[in-house]
Amino acid sequence: MGSKEDPHLSNSEIGRYSRQMILPELGVQGQVKLKKGSVLIVGMGGLGCPASMFLAASGVGRLGLLDYDAVELSNLHRQVLHNESTIGLPKSQSAKAFISNLNSNVELDLFQEPFTCTNALDIVRRYDVVLDCTDNAATRYLLNDACIFAKRPLVSGSALRFEGQITTYNCQGGPCYRCLFPVPPPPEFVTNCSDGGVIGAVPGIIGTLQALETIKLLSDIGPSYVGKMLIFDGLQGTFTDVKIRSKQSSCAVCGDNPTITTLMDDYPTFCGSSFDDKDRHIKILKQLDRITPTEYETIAKSKTIPHVLIDVREPQELEICAIPDVSMNVPYSQMYSDKSMDTLKRFLKERSRLARVVQGSDSLHVYVVCRRGNDSQRAVRLLQEKFADLNLVIKDIEGGLHAWARDVDKSFPFSNKLHEFRIMFHLKLPALLPQKNVRSLKLFTPQLSRQIPERLKHIPNADDPPFFEMVEFFFHRACIVGEKRWMSTLNMGPKATEKDRESRSRGILRLLEPCAHLLEFSFPLKRDSGEFEIIQAYRAQHSHHRTPTKGGIRYSLDVNTDEVKALSALMTFKCSCVDVPFGGAKAGVKINPKEYSIDELEKITRRFALELSKKGFIGPGIDVPAPDMGTGEREMSWIADSYAKTLGYKDINSHACVTGKPINQGGIHGRTSATGRGVYHGIQNFINNPDYAQMVGLTPGLKGKTLIVQGFGNVGFHSARYLDRVGVKLIGVIEWDGAIANPQGINPVQLDEYKKLHGTILGFPGAKKFEGDLMLEPCDILIPAATEKSITKSNAVNIKAKIIGEAANGPVTPAADKILQDKKILVIPDLFLNAGGVTVSYFEWLKNLNHVSYGRLTFKYDYESNIHLLKSVEESLNRRFGTHADVLQKGPIQIQFSDASARRLGGASEKDIVHSGLEYTMERSAKNIMKVASEFNLGMDIRTAAYVHSVDKIYATVATAGHS
């Protein structure tokens, strides 16, 4: 099978391959295996060219080049081994000339005959690995079966438009092609690059990956794509791994009881298409429903038969060339739109009426043309079905524009720049037909031209973008993905045009961009020393689509207008993401709370509450603040008391003006740890999902995973505490004054106690001080729980975590987010992950409005009901077994309660209800986000999926309630 050459490496070969031989994964032995190896490449086109080039360059000993096609001018944009001087030569000969000049050590076998069932098995058996670089179904099934019978791995690639994919079949117990596709699709649903087009670089990338996979197979490094498929999206610049179906025991070729044991006699009949990739023609219409290009030319010139000529190619194809008399462009891809078909039907009815009035014809002839006569047949069949009630004669032009160029116009194609993104018609009627009857018709187009605003286009590459612009960018990116679907849900009545719907949709989304209200004020503070100081404060309300608005109050020197606007916007989307019916808000006071006494902090907080009250920025149904960085239960209690004694003195619900209060002031059990607990549940939902765990190379489940936390405040501590309980190992903690690490694990509870006692984590006996940037160290989970923009494009490239859980607000910039996705690092975004706090704040707000704690009215009843039920069970057991010897000897049967059962006898406590409600909220939201990611094919871009999920609900609310 391998090369006939001497397996030892010459000095020249060592010099040639030294740069790859120094890699420990390959080495000398790996290079020798490449030299001894042999590869069959079937198809010397866009995939086969780069694959063969890199295989030859890497030193594979023998290559088989199989292709019986000739080089054409249209090949050269992607088939890089060929050039203008080789046009007309067999592709295998052209490729041999290039490869021989590249590496004369490689032995080359040429196969210029068709690859069929009579020679396939004999050819495949001569090689160690086979590459499928074709784009037709018949050859794919033949190659698959031959590789199964010859026991050869098959590295399969494909490329179309901006997308490509690669997988390896029949290798290491993995599936074969038939395991995934037991039956070929109908030929009319198969598109190759000749039909659909392809960007030349895409097959270059996939072919190169095929070469790399083959090199790893031959050198025993091991394949990467067995049991999974790599999908490349060139338009978005993303690579996605997708788990594929495992080997099927029922497979007709490789299963436990195969029904196909030799190569089939006729693969083209089985697939409904030929082995020839170049001109694939389908035939789904009767000859009665078709006319030749010559017949159509006669009809067009006679001007006696009223007709419409419909070109069903895409508009960009129409710009390249078109028949001069084309009447209408209706892309086949739009013919499944009800809106398009309704408009087209009205148009054809009008043309039929004109044909009757002007020419006295009882029927209108409709002729359909495409490039090669495939889509036109599909379109005719669809139009005949949809418009059966109209008196139309609908036919396709056989062979399409290719046949037109061959039989009618030898100079075709020609450039036609007059055809734009619109649909025109030109009906063949006598000159007496008034010119006003010729008009333009615009069909429904579901595409939207929304783009990132010009002022935000720098954000994806900015190292330190403004926080509010970061949130705006993420919002607009979600709108690009979701607006088409949202617009389709608008209920505007039958008279609304598509322009009306788009205008309404844009209006709704524009309402969500700016901050609705921004309050900035200052007030004096007389300090304990007698000195006066001016305190600057802010409150932003982003959206009033739901009221009250909700958001925390932070005390920090970093507070500014941009930050509170950004955080209020983020809170809008956060509340929607977890189904909390609040608008978003945020407040900040520009102080360092560590520099003020308790009395001074109380003065600041109460004055701040008073200013909010005077401006109408606080109240149970208006705006409900909560704790944030630098604030806690104490400050919330002061605010509640100040409001109750001033503006809210008549309001029985006054204590609902703020959440995060102490329990004795109307607070709720579980609020302090809520954000951290939500972080734990959010990460748990994603890492327990096998698909997402596989994407980042982890096994499902949290047990045994390693964790680094940046910021060991309230959120960081509780996140680590809950994760520690389920077996996650905290190996490092980063704080403002330093970092500590212990590969054996750090006890978060002990560390928290040490920090409270000493004011720092440094010196903690259970870990050592870490010199350097701990955030860049390897770990399974990294939780940034400090401030925004801690991960930027400058350090994202060095992040080695598998999962990043955004416990802080905005810790990852858009530029860093893109880098992390490219590195296959799963980022669980802030608007979902740290929403535990606002979720439990919602529970507290409801408790305050109800004026009763959860469970209080049912504790006694639940307890007595449970005791009664258990006593009934005891009595039933004693009646049934009361005469048994053991029972008579030991006495009546008694049910003994375990400690856990005894604690639950009285029903759920407030804490139980809060924890249960939070867990359910995070689980439901995670599933909805995953569903959106799947629907829109977003892969690991969970942030965009979360924003789409969030904006979807806000959009529906505004659309229903109106714009005012």
Side-chain angles (χ1 to χ4, degrees):
M1 292 184 298
S3 170
K4 298 176 183 177
E5 300 291 332
D6 182 354
H8 300 292
L9 300 176
S10 66
N11 289 341
S12 174
E13 288 173 320
I14 292 173
R16 178 188 286 264
Y17 308 126
S18 59
R19 294 295 177 89
Q20 66 186 34
M21 287 169 60
I22 62 175
L23 297 174
E25 294 85 355
L26 184 69
V28 175
Q29 293 302 316
Q31 189 63 52
V32 170
K33 290 175 182 176
L34 290 180
K35 182 176 180 179
K36 294 169 64 178
S38 59
V39 180
L40 173 66
I41 304 165
V42 182
M44 295 308 301
L47 297 170
C49 284
S52 58
M53 181 172 64
F54 280 106
L55 288 172
S58 67
V60 174
R62 185 162 61 95
L63 296 179
L65 311 180
L66 193 156
D67 199 309
Y68 58 92
D69 197 4
V71 179
E72 296 179 354
L73 180 64
S74 62
N75 300 151
L76 301 186
H77 87 289
R78 66 191 186 283
Q79 300 179 16
V80 293
L81 298 192
H82 315 307
N83 57 63
E84 293 177 359
S85 66
T86 64
I87 292 175
L89 289 179
K91 287 184 179 179
S92 54
Q93 286 187 18
S94 174
K96 179 182 179 180
F98 184 99
I99 295 171
S100 297
N101 288 329
L102 176 66
N103 190 345
S104 59
N105 296 323
V106 179
E107 182 182 344
L108 298 174
D109 304 329
L110 300 191
F111 300 94
Q112 298 178 26
E113 70 271 21
F115 187 67
T116 66
C117 60
T118 58
N119 62 4
L121 197 54
D122 177 61
I123 294 174
V124 166
R125 282 176 173 154
R126 305 179 198 178
Y127 298 90
D128 299 316
V129 181
V130 179
L131 269 62
D132 180 0
C133 300
T134 68
D135 66 352
N136 70 80
T139 305
R140 286 192 184 278
Y141 278 94
L142 172 58
L143 261 180
N144 176 79
D145 296 354
C147 287
I148 292 293
F149 299 141
K151 298 182 180 179
R152 300 290 186 268
L154 177 63
V155 181
S156 177
S158 63
L160 184 67
R161 301 186 179 97
F162 283 89
E163 298 179 352
Q165 59 190 39
I166 174 177
T167 190
T168 300
Y169 297 115
N170 192 36
C171 182
Q172 298 182 354
C176 76
Y177 186 72
R178 283 187 187 262
C179 291
L180 272 63
F181 308 104
V183 179
E188 60 265 31
F189 291 109
V190 177
T191 303
N192 58 25
C193 65
S194 181
D195 289 327
V198 65
I199 290 293
V202 173
I205 291 168
I206 300 301
T208 303
L209 289 173
Q210 286 181 275
L212 178 59
E213 180 81 344
T214 304
I215 290 168
K216 291 189 291 184
L217 280 167
L218 291 175
S219 62
D220 292 333
I221 293 174
S224 298
Y225 306 119
V226 175
K228 65 179 180 180
M229 181 178 290
L230 178 72
I231 298 175
F232 170 63
D233 184 339
L235 206 55
Q236 299 298 323
T238 59
F239 288 89
T240 305
D241 280 338
V242 177
K243 184 178 180 181
I244 60 177
R245 183 185 300 171
S246 60
K247 183 174 181 178
Q248 300 296 293
S249 60
S250 60
C251 178
V253 178
C254 71
D256 296 341
N257 298 295
T259 57
I260 300 175
T261 55
T262 60
L263 294 181
M264 299 166 56
D265 292 333
D266 195 349
Y267 283 87
T269 301
F270 172 66
C271 297
S273 60
S274 69
F275 285 129
D276 189 348
D277 296 344
K278 287 181 61 180
D279 293 309
R280 181 173 57 84
H281 296 284
I282 65 173
K283 188 172 182 180
I284 59 177
L285 293 179
K286 297 177 181 179
Q287 195 58 42
L288 185 66
D289 295 324
R290 313 190 77 185
I291 64 169
T292 67
T294 306
E295 289 172 335
Y296 174 73
E297 183 192 28
T298 302
I299 293 171
K301 286 181 177 179
S302 71
K303 299 184 179 181
T304 57
I305 300 177
H307 72 276
V308 172
L309 174 62
I310 300 177
D311 190 323
V312 295
R313 296 174 300 149
E314 294 297 321
Q316 62 270 21
E317 295 182 78
L318 203 68
E319 289 186 8
I320 299 172
C321 60
I323 295 176
D325 295 321
V326 66
S327 306
M328 173 184 289
N329 172 222
V330 186
Y332 177 69
S333 61
Q334 292 186 21
M335 285 191 167
Y336 287 90
S337 162
D338 290 339
K339 185 81 172 180
S340 295
M341 295 303 279
D342 289 344
T343 307
L344 179 58
K345 188 172 185 177
R346 288 196 299 270
F347 168 74
L348 291 176
K349 280 184 176 180
E350 175 66 11
R351 297 306 96 197
S352 296
R353 187 187 68 81
L354 289 173
R356 286 194 304 271
V357 171
V358 177
Q359 290 184 285
S361 176
D362 292 333
S363 61
L364 176 71
H365 287 238
V366 177
Y367 299 110
V368 183
V369 68
C370 68
R371 193 160 64 93
R372 292 191 308 186
N374 293 339
D375 279 348
S376 58
Q377 292 185 69
R378 300 178 184 120
V380 166
R381 192 165 64 176
L382 181 63
L383 293 175
Q384 288 173 341
E385 177 187 334
K386 294 284 188 180
F387 300 157
D389 57 327
L390 301 182
N391 192 19
L392 303 174
V393 177
I394 307 174
K395 298 185 178 185
D396 97 298
I397 297 179
E398 191 172 358
L401 298 182
H402 279 204
W404 179 271
R406 183 189 66 233
D407 302 335
V408 177
D409 184 358
K410 303 295 183 182
S411 64
F412 194 83
F414 67 93
S415 178
N416 185 355
K417 293 296 181 182
L418 296 178
H419 292 283
E420 302 174 357
F421 246 94
R422 66 182 188 267
I423 295 158
M424 305 288 294
F425 75 85
H426 176 69
L427 188 62
K428 298 293 182 181
L429 297 173
L432 58 89
L433 183 65
Q435 185 65 30
K436 66 181 181 180
N437 287 320
V438 181
R439 56 185 175 83
S440 296
L441 174 70
K442 183 175 181 180
L443 290 184
F444 169 65
T445 303
Q447 302 292 332
L448 291 169
S449 58
R450 170 174 284 277
Q451 295 180 345
I452 299 295
E454 193 66 34
R455 62 185 176 83
L456 299 176
K457 286 188 175 178
H458 70 287
I459 296 297
N461 298 311
D463 193 45
D464 186 24
F467 191 7
F468 185 52
E469 290 186 1
M470 280 174 51
V471 179
E472 285 187 297
F473 172 79
F474 290 137
F475 164 74
H476 281 286
R477 193 169 67 178
C479 290
I480 291 173
V481 173
E483 186 177 4
K484 176 183 171 183
R485 184 173 79 175
W486 303 332
M487 198 174 82
S488 67
T489 64
L490 291 176
N491 183 11
M492 298 178 62
K495 293 185 178 180
T497 65
E498 201 57 36
K499 185 175 181 181
D500 294 335
R501 299 169 69 85
E502 185 172 341
S503 177
R504 175 88 185 276
S505 179
R506 294 293 166 87
I508 292 172
L509 294 175
R510 276 197 293 270
L511 286 175
L512 302 181
E513 289 186 51
C515 245
H517 293 153
L518 177 63
L519 177 64
E520 180 178 354
F521 57 93
S522 58
F523 54 85
L525 168 70
K526 183 177 182 181
R527 303 201 61 170
D528 295 341
S529 63
E531 296 180 354
F532 281 87
E533 183 177 321
I534 300 299
I535 305 297
Q536 194 171 3
Y538 309 84
R539 182 66 174 179
Q541 296 174 348
H542 174 256
S543 174
H544 295 98
H545 75 284
R546 296 281 194 192
T547 52
T549 53
K550 189 84 180 71
I553 300 172
R554 55 174 51 187
Y555 287 178
S556 169
L557 291 174
D558 294 327
V559 168
N560 56 45
T561 303
D562 178 71
E563 184 181 66
V564 294
K565 286 169 62 181
L567 290 170
S568 68
L570 189 60
M571 183 59 74
T572 294
F573 304 127
K574 187 183 300 184
C575 290
S576 176
C577 187
V578 291
D579 295 304
V580 170
F582 292 141
K586 207 70 180 183
V589 179
K590 200 175 185 67
I591 62 170
N592 179 358
K594 296 178 181 179
E595 297 178 355
Y596 295 84
S597 68
I598 293 178
D599 287 342
E600 290 171 338
L601 288 174
E602 183 174 359
K603 288 179 184 178
I604 292 170
T605 305
R606 289 186 179 275
R607 179 61 184 270
F608 179 66
L610 183 62
E611 293 297 327
L612 293 180
S613 298
K614 291 193 299 184
K615 302 297 190 298
F617 270 68
I618 189 171
I622 301 172
D623 193 348
V624 181
D628 202 312
M629 182 190 305
T631 60
E633 292 182 344
R634 179 184 63 190
E635 287 76 17
M636 299 306 106
S637 180
W638 290 336
I639 292 174
D641 182 67
S642 297
Y643 177 79
K645 291 178 177 176
T646 53
L647 190 65
Y649 75 100
K650 288 184 177 180
D651 189 351
I652 193 174
N653 297 319
S654 62
H655 268 64
C657 72
V658 68
T659 59
K661 304 179 292 293
I663 299 297
N664 60 11
Q665 294 295 313
I668 195 168
H669 290 87
R671 174 60 184 87
T672 303
S673 63
T675 305
R677 191 177 181 93
V679 170
Y680 154 65
H681 285 306
I683 294 174
Q684 180 187 45
N685 276 282
F686 276 91
I687 203 170
N688 281 347
N689 184 290
D691 293 333
Y692 284 99
Q694 185 185 42
M695 284 182 189
V696 296
L698 294 174
T699 56
L702 284 166
K703 189 172 183 180
K705 304 299 187 292
T706 55
L707 168 69
I708 293 176
V709 174
Q710 182 220 21
F712 203 69
N714 175 65
V715 177
F717 161 60
H718 286 292
S719 300
R721 180 168 70 94
Y722 285 115
L723 288 167
D724 178 74
R725 286 184 180 180
V726 295
V728 175
K729 186 188 296 183
L730 178 63
I731 61 172
V733 177
I734 307 166
E735 268 283 275
W736 63 275
D737 57 348
I740 59 173
N742 183 354
Q744 305 306 313
I746 300 169
N747 187 308
V749 176
Q750 293 177 3
L751 179 61
D752 182 61
E753 293 172 351
Y754 179 89
K755 183 187 175 188
K756 288 177 180 176
L757 186 63
H758 297 87
T760 181
I761 62 171
L762 299 180
F764 176 64
K768 294 182 180 179
K769 184 177 180 180
F770 186 87
E771 300 294 342
D773 194 345
L774 182 59
M775 196 160 60
L776 306 182
E777 292 300 303
C779 64
D780 295 322
I781 304 168
L782 171 64
I783 296 181
T787 58
E788 61 269 8
K789 294 184 282 189
S790 58
I791 300 177
T792 65
K793 72 175 183 180
S794 60
N795 63 359
V797 292
N798 297 316
I799 297 286
K800 299 180 182 66
K802 302 293 183 64
I803 296 174
I804 294 179
E806 293 187 339
N809 288 311
V812 178
T813 66
D817 193 51
K818 177 65 168 61
I819 292 170
L820 296 172
Q821 286 186 50
D822 291 343
K823 287 167 63 70
K824 302 300 181 187
I825 297 174
L826 180 65
V827 180
I828 308 177
D830 46 6
L831 77 157
F832 160 69
L833 196 66
N834 66 26
V838 72
T839 300
V840 177
S841 284
Y842 174 52
F843 299 160
E844 179 180 336
W845 182 71
L846 291 176
K847 173 186 175 180
N848 295 157
L849 296 181
N850 290 328
H851 298 277
V852 63
S853 62
Y854 293 102
R856 178 173 179 177
L857 301 180
T858 59
F859 281 150
K860 183 66 174 175
Y861 180 82
D862 287 344
Y863 177 80
E864 291 180 349
S865 296
N866 290 332
I867 291 294
H868 180 76
L869 177 62
L870 294 172
K871 289 296 183 183
S872 176
V873 173
E874 275 187 4
E875 292 174 4
S876 297
L877 291 173
N878 281 302
R879 281 197 300 270
R880 175 66 179 84
F881 301 105
T883 58
H884 196 276
D886 289 342
V887 175
L888 293 173
Q889 183 179 356
K890 296 179 181 178
I893 297 172
Q894 291 185 336
I895 294 177
Q896 300 294 323
F897 303 129
S898 66
D899 292 341
S901 298
R903 285 195 297 269
R904 290 177 176 267
L905 279 176
S909 67
E910 181 174 85
K911 191 174 184 180
D912 294 332
I913 293 171
V914 168
H915 286 175
S916 174
L918 175 59
E919 182 175 3
Y920 170 73
T921 298
M922 297 303 290
E923 179 182 348
R924 182 177 63 175
S925 299
K927 288 180 178 178
N928 286 334
I929 292 169
M930 293 177 195
K931 181 180 178 182
V932 170
S934 175
E935 287 177 356
F936 289 96
N937 195 27
L938 295 174
M940 295 179 70
D941 189 1
I942 304 303
R943 188 187 311 279
T944 298
Y947 269 91
V948 171
H949 171 60
S950 175
V951 177
D952 181 73
K953 288 177 278 188
I954 302 173
Y955 186 100
T957 300
V958 176
T960 304
H963 287 194
S964 59

